[in-house]
Amino acid sequence: SLIPGDGCIYLGGMRGGLYVAPFQSARTIPEQEEIPVAIKETPPAEIPGFQRIDIGGQVRRVFLDGNTLYAACSTQGIRVFRVEKDGLELLRTHPVACSYDVAVLCGLLYSAEGRDGLAVYRIQPDGSLSEMGRERKTCMHLRLVGNPRYLIASSQGMEFYIKDISDPEKIRTVLSCRPGGLFYTDTTGDRDVNGILPVNCHGGGVVWIDLRGEQPAILHHSKKFLSNQSSAHCVMSGKV
């Protein structure tokens, strides 16, 4: 940045610090009256055929289980909707401190709750949640895979983890991988093919994981730099 003073200029550098240089014709910019900013409240556009649901916060992930939709709504907790012919009907709100990601399998709900870690809840017949276990390590994204024993998780750092979730009271990290890229979002393949799962690691290339055995393993690491590829792999007709 650059600011003129009386007979000098001030230069601020990102790494170099602050410099003052003589400049005879420079003068301090006189203060001006603040002009109030007019903000016009514009209601959100209603799009024909779409239902807009304002939950008061960011919706980070949705997960469909049959005709029930689970939504991770950040500080607004977990919302549960029934999918009807004409749209979504809100069934229940679970006021957890924060939920960034959700997934459901066999009556259990898995929630990535940031600094509060990875939580596992039993979905009760009345729709309420009872906590079964929690690993108190930062968890921002999660992904279930074909092998119900494992779950992929990341903390938006430079590592992703494979968790053994067979015992919700004793969640264990059985493999960690630091491929050299940042996980801005979840770039894990949407599902595995016969136990093989790709993870796009942004600048760290693509890691292929083998989830078939007793111990998950890295099958291959393609280290090609993919700085502009920030989405996940998709499986169609048995191909990635």
Side-chain angles (χ1 to χ4, degrees):
S1 62
L2 181 150
I3 298 176
D6 289 327
C8 66
I9 55 174
Y10 301 93
L11 293 166
M14 186 175 289
R15 296 183 177 87
L18 175 65
Y19 298 90
V20 184
F23 202 94
Q24 280 191 337
S25 60
R27 294 291 179 267
T28 302
I29 299 173
E31 291 189 14
Q32 299 180 3
E33 290 187 15
E34 291 187 3
I35 301 173
V37 178
I39 300 176
K40 183 181 180 182
E41 293 292 339
T42 304
E46 297 294 342
I47 304 172
F50 285 82
Q51 179 186 10
R52 181 176 59 83
I53 302 172
D54 186 356
I55 54 89
Q58 277 192 325
V59 179
R60 301 290 291 264
R61 175 95 87 177
V62 293
F63 188 93
L64 186 63
D65 182 41
N67 69 337
T68 305
L69 187 75
Y70 297 85
C73 302
S74 303
T75 56
Q76 300 302 309
I78 300 169
R79 305 290 175 100
V80 185
F81 300 88
R82 179 186 292 117
V83 181
E84 302 283 1
K85 182 179 179 181
D86 298 326
L88 300 180
E89 177 190 350
L90 179 63
L91 297 179
R92 185 178 284 268
T93 298
H94 300 290
V96 299
C98 195
S99 180
Y100 293 105
D101 204 345
V102 286
V104 173
L105 181 67
C106 298
L108 299 182
L109 183 144
Y110 301 87
S111 175
E113 301 186 353
R115 292 181 180 179
D116 289 338
L118 168 62
V120 184
Y121 302 95
R122 170 73 66 186
I123 303 172
Q124 300 297 339
D126 64 354
S128 63
L129 300 179
S130 60
E131 185 170 320
M132 297 184 64
R134 180 181 296 268
E135 184 191 43
R136 292 193 176 275
K137 295 180 180 178
T138 300
C139 184
M140 301 297 290
H141 306 291
L142 57 84
R143 179 79 71 170
L144 295 174
V145 293
N147 188 336
R149 179 178 176 181
Y150 298 129
L151 175 148
I152 315 296
S154 73
S155 56
Q156 270 190 328
M158 296 186 73
E159 288 183 292
F160 70 87
Y161 313 93
I162 300 180
K163 308 286 185 179
D164 185 331
I165 54 173
S166 55
D167 184 352
E169 294 183 1
K170 296 178 181 178
I171 300 172
R172 299 184 299 117
T173 299
V174 291
L175 188 146
S176 61
C177 181
R178 190 180 178 88
L182 281 168
F183 291 94
Y184 300 103
T185 181
D186 179 12
T187 50
T188 307
D190 64 341
R191 57 190 182 275
D192 57 282
V193 177
N194 299 324
I196 307 299
L197 180 77
V199 180
N200 175 19
C201 305
H202 198 55
V206 178
V207 174
W208 295 84
I209 308 168
D210 189 343
L211 299 164
R212 296 171 294 185
E214 285 297 313
Q215 175 66 32
I218 296 173
L219 194 65
H220 178 64
H221 184 185
S222 174
K223 297 183 179 181
K224 183 179 179 181
F225 189 76
L226 300 171
S227 62
N228 293 322
Q229 185 176 329
S230 56
S231 60
H233 299 78
C234 177
V235 175
M236 294 182 68
S237 302
K239 299 182 185 297
V240 178

